[in-house]
Amino acid sequence: MATITITPHSPPTVATRANRSTDAKLSPIGSLIAGSIAGGIEASITYPFEWAKTRSQLPSSAGNVDAKNPIKMVWQTATRQGVSSIYAGCGALVAGTALKAGVRFLTFDTVQNLLADTDGKLDFQRRVLAGMTAGAVEAVLAVTPTERIKTVMIDNARGAKRFTSATQATTAIIREEGFQGLYRGLSSTIVKQSATSAVRMGLYSTLKETYAQRTGTKPDTILVSFALGAIAGTGTVYATQPFDTIKTRAQSAKGEGIAMAVRNVMRDHGYFLVE
């Protein structure tokens, strides 16, 4: 009679788990799809705050003084003009953010793989370079035209209300300014997105690596990943807010050049626009 030998199954070692993690790395298409879905969800949830931020960055219009507190601004506008008013331009931003996030992660992963050493590792400088490259690419392919439409729609909602939809605004801009009208503020957007992606990606990757070194494990829970992402996001906002303010001014309905935008912001609000 044959003898059956049962060999106890030993738990996978840390090295084995690391290898599995490496093998399970997302493909470029996977990065594009995952980034797009995450970006669309993020834009949908946080849009009222994005609306308030953009509104506060636009130049004041005659007879239209906004509250300085963003939460109060959202509340006042929603009660006076309806909840739909604080979602002006939301569709354009959600579509643009989905595309932007997909392009960002696809570009970042691709550049990271190109810059990695023979062990597949990246130092901080190379992470920053990968982030800057991803930011520049997303600014050209996705961010500038969709941010232009979003900003025009928000600016439009507090004035003469020329446009009733993002589609109408897009058509009018192309008819009046040509296709390049959608790319108003391109240079400031490239600077802003390059800085944003460089800081966010570099900081987030460094935080994950530091966490792994301190604890001996990679961030493997939603709570830890959320906390690291929140820290990276907060640092990114403080580091890049000036670029974002200039970008918004350049993409408003009237539009301002970079030099004019800088002068007007400092004239209206001083060196620090933190309201």
Side-chain angles (χ1 to χ4, degrees):
M1 183 175 179
T3 302
I4 299 176
T5 303
I6 300 176
T7 303
H9 176 68
S10 58
T13 62
V14 173
T16 302
R17 289 196 296 268
N19 290 335
R20 288 179 180 174
S21 176
T22 301
D23 295 338
K25 188 179 295 184
L26 281 176
S27 66
I29 296 300
S31 295
L32 181 64
I33 295 174
S36 297
I37 294 173
I41 293 173
E42 174 193 351
S44 300
I45 294 173
T46 62
Y47 190 76
F49 301 102
E50 175 68 21
W51 175 90
K53 181 210 69 173
T54 302
R55 181 89 170 234
S56 66
Q57 290 172 332
L58 289 167
S60 299
S61 58
N64 192 358
V65 179
D66 294 321
K68 294 182 178 181
N69 185 299
I71 296 178
K72 187 176 181 180
M73 184 190 301
V74 170
W75 175 257
Q76 287 180 348
T77 304
T79 52
R80 293 172 183 172
Q81 303 175 26
V83 175
S84 61
S85 63
I86 61 174
Y87 280 89
C90 182
L93 184 69
V94 169
T97 302
L99 178 59
K100 172 183 72 175
V103 170
R104 175 194 302 159
F105 285 106
L106 175 59
T107 305
F108 185 69
D109 288 347
T110 302
V111 176
Q112 271 199 131
N113 292 336
L114 292 174
L115 296 178
D117 58 24
T118 53
D119 296 325
K121 295 181 179 180
L122 283 173
D123 56 21
F124 180 76
Q125 290 79 6
R126 292 184 180 183
R127 285 198 191 100
V128 170
L129 178 58
M132 290 181 67
T133 304
V137 172
E138 73 182 42
V140 174
L141 295 182
V143 179
T144 304
T146 53
E147 284 282 324
R148 167 74 164 134
I149 298 303
K150 179 211 74 175
T151 303
V152 166
M153 289 299 295
I154 292 175
D155 202 5
N156 171 79
R158 65 185 191 139
K161 296 181 174 58
R162 286 183 59 203
F163 311 121
T164 57
S165 68
T167 302
Q168 182 190 0
T170 302
T171 303
I173 289 173
I174 294 175
R175 183 178 62 250
E176 295 170 7
E177 304 177 31
F179 189 75
Q180 66 268 25
L182 296 178
Y183 277 85
R184 180 185 288 179
L186 176 61
S187 57
S188 55
T189 304
I190 289 176
V191 172
K192 188 260 180 179
Q193 292 303 126
S194 296
T196 296
S197 292
V199 175
R200 178 185 291 132
M201 297 296 194
L203 183 55
Y204 183 65
S205 296
T206 300
L207 287 171
K208 287 200 302 181
E209 187 175 285
T210 302
Y211 179 89
Q213 291 174 348
R214 294 288 182 87
T215 63
T217 60
K218 294 182 178 181
D220 54 0
T221 66
I222 294 177
L223 183 60
V224 172
S225 295
F226 180 86
L228 296 182
I231 294 172
T234 301
T236 300
V237 169
Y238 276 100
T240 63
Q241 183 67 10
F243 303 121
D244 190 67
T245 300
I246 300 306
K247 175 191 71 66
T248 299
R249 288 290 186 114
Q251 293 182 323
S252 64
K254 293 182 178 180
E256 297 177 0
I258 293 178
M260 180 185 295
V262 171
R263 287 197 302 269
N264 289 344
V265 168
M266 288 195 293
R267 181 199 64 201
D268 297 341
H269 304 281
Y271 287 96
F272 299 99
L273 179 59
V274 294
E275 299 169 344

